[in-house]
C-alpha cells in the first residue's frame, strides 16, 4: 500500500495516496482540509470548477457568531475582521414600519456580513501559502470502495490525465448536485424534502446600502430583503413565483418592485439604486439526507442538507459540520478511535434540524404563500406582531439567528 503523500505511475494511471480525499472546494471542503492539515492529517481537495469560478460565485453573506469565532481561532479571520461588517441587530419590516430585533442586546452576540466567496478566497490563499493541495478543473470524479477501509476516488486532472486518489476516508463536500451523495447505494439513506411555491430573485448592485442593517420585509406583494456585502455593494432579494424566468426582470422593473416592497409608511427610507452587477433566481427548498455518512464516506454542507436562505444558515451549517468531522477524523485516523466518527451524523443532525426549523419559521412568517387564504395571512401578521412586541419571542429569533453554540 502507498503511504500518505506518495504517488506512483501505473502505465496510463497515476495513483496518489492521502488520508482524506475531499470532493469540493467550497467553504466546507476547504475548511475541512485546513482543519485536518492543522492537526497533521493529510488531505487532498478535488474541485471540478476553476479557481476563478469558486472565488467569484456569489453565495451566502451572513456569518454566525460561532463561525466568526472559529475563523479567528484557526488564523484565517484577519481579512474578515478588517473588511467584514459586524451587525448588532436586524429589522422586521411589515405594515410599512420597522421593528428592530436587537441581536446583541438580546444575546450578547453579533453576526458579521462577509461573503462566502471571501472566505473561500482566504482559505485558498492559506492552502497556497502552506503548500496544501487543492486541484481545480478536474473531471469525471467518482468515489469507490465506500464500504471498505480503503476507499478511492477516480478522476481526470486538468490536463485530462487519468488519476486515482487512494484514501482512508472520503469527505463529500460537493453540494446538493454533486457526485458524493448519489454514490451511496439506494436504500442506505433517507431523504426528507420540501419545496416551496416561490423563489428568490437576487441582485448584487454597485451602490451603498440603504440601511445600516438587514431588513426582512413582509409585503402583500411578496417578501423582500435588503442586505449588503460591503460599504459599496448592496445585496437585495425579491420573492417571485417558483417558475419565474430572469429574462422577464429588467433592471428598471427590479428597482421599481424593490422600492415598492421596501417603502415605509412615514417615508423615512429611501432605496439607493445603482448598476446591477449580477442577478439570478434561486429556488427555495428544505432537504435533509439522513444519515450523513455511509461506510468511509462522510457528507458535509449542502451535500447533506439544504435550508431556505431566509434563516442565513446554509454556510454556517457547513462550518459546523466540518468542525465536527475534522475532530472525528483526527480521532479515527490518528488515535484509531471510531466512536466520534460513528456519532458524526447524529451529532450534526441535531443542529441541522434546528436550523431547518428556524429557516422554515422565518420563511413561512415572511413570505406570501400564493395558496394561502385570508385566515393564513392574518396568522402571519399575528406572528410578526408577536415577535416584534414580545422580548421572549424576539430573543428566540435572535438566539437562533446569531447561531447556537457548537456541539
Amino acid at each position: 500500500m502507498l503511504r500518505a503523500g506518495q504517488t506512483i505511475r501505473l502505465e496510463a494511471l497515476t495513483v496518489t495516496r492521502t488520508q482524506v480525499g475531499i470532493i469540493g472546494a467550497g467553504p466546507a471542503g476547504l475548511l475541512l482540509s485546513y482543519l485536518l492539515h492543522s492537526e497533521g492529517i493529510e488531505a487532498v481537495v478535488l474541485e471540478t470548477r476553476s479557481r476563478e469560478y469558486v472565488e467569484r460565485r456569489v453565495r451566502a453573506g451572513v456569518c454566525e457568531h460561532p463561525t466568526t469565532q472559529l475563523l479567528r481561532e484557526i488564523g484565517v479571520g484577519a481579512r474578515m475582521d478588517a473588511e467584514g461588517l459586524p451587525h448588532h441587530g436586524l429589522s422586521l419590516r411589515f405594515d410599512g414600519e420597522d421593528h428592530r430585533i436587537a441581536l446583541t442586546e438580546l444575546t450578547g452576540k453579533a453576526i458579521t456580513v462577509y461573503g462566502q466567496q471571501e472566505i473561500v478566497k482566504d482559505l485558498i490563499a492559506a492552502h497556497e501559502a502552506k503548500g496544501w493541495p487543492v486541484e481545480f478543473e478536474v473531471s469525471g470524479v467518482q468515489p469507490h470502495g465506500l464500504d471498505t477501509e480503503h476507499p478511492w476516488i477516480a478522476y481526470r486532472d486538468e490536463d485530462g490525465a487519468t488519476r486515482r486518489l487512494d484514501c482512508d476516508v472520503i469527505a463529500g463536500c460537493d453540494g446538493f448536485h454533486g457526485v458524493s451523495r448519489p454514490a451511496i447505494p439506494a436504500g442506505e439513506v433517507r431523504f426528507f424534502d420540501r419545496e416551496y411555491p416561490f423563489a428568490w430573485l437576487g441582485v448584487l448592485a454597485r451602490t451603498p446600502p440603504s440601511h445600516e442593517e438587514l431588513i426582512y420585509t413582509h409585503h402583500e406583494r411578496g417578501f423582500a430583503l435588503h442586505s449588503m456585502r460591503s460599504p459599496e455593494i448592496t445585496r437585495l432579494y425579491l420573492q417571485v413565483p417558483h417558475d419565474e424566468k430572469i429574462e422577464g426582470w429588467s433592471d428598471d422593473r427590479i428597482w421599481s418592485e424593490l422600492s415598492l416592497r421596501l417603502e415605509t409608511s412615514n417615508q423615512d427610507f429611501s432605496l439607493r439604486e445603482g448598476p446591477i452587477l449580477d442577478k439570478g433566481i434561486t429556488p427555495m427548498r428544505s432537504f435533509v439526507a439522513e444519515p450523513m455518512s455511509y461506510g468511509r464516506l462522510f457528507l458535509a454542507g449542502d451535500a447533506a442538507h439544504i435550508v431556505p436562505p431566509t434563516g442565513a444558515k446554509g454556510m454556517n451549517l457547513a462550518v459546523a459540520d466540518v468542525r465536527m468531522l475534522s475532530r472525528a477524523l483526527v480521532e479515527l485516523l490518528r488515535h484509531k478511535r471510531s466512536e466520534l466518527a460513528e456519532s458524526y451524523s447524529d451529532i450534526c443532525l441535531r443542529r441541522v434540524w434546528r436550523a431547518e426549523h428556524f429557516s422554515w419559521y422565518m420563511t413561512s412568517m415572511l413570505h406570501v404563500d400564493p395558496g394561502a387564504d385570508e385566515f393564513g395571512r392574518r396568522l402571519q401578521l399575528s406572528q410578526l406582531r408577536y415577535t416584534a412586541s414580545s422580548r421572549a419571542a424576539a430573543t428566540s429569533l435572535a438566539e437562533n439567528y446569531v447561531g447556537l453554540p457548537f456541539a
Side-chain angles (χ1 to χ4, degrees), residues 284-300:
M284 303 280 281
R285 74 184 310 158
S286 300
F287 172 86
V288 180
E290 191 171 315
M292 292 168 52
S293 62
Y294 171 76
R296 285 295 181 97
L297 171 67
F298 296 85
L299 304 177

Side-chain angles (χ1 to χ4, degrees), residues 246-305:
I246 194 65
E247 292 77 16
W249 286 86
S250 66
D251 291 3
D252 287 343
R253 183 186 178 191
I254 290 171
W255 286 119
S256 176
E257 190 66 23
L258 282 166
S259 181
L260 183 63
R261 297 189 195 183
L262 289 167
E263 68 181 2
T264 55
S265 56
N266 57 8
Q267 302 299 315
D268 64 348
F269 175 83
S270 178
L271 180 65
R272 294 172 175 171
E273 299 183 13
I276 291 180
L277 308 175
D278 180 76
K279 59 183 175 181
I281 293 179
T282 303
M284 303 280 281
R285 74 184 310 158
S286 300
F287 172 86
V288 180
E290 191 171 315
M292 292 168 52
S293 62
Y294 171 76
R296 285 295 181 97
L297 171 67
F298 296 85
L299 304 177
D302 287 359
H305 40 71

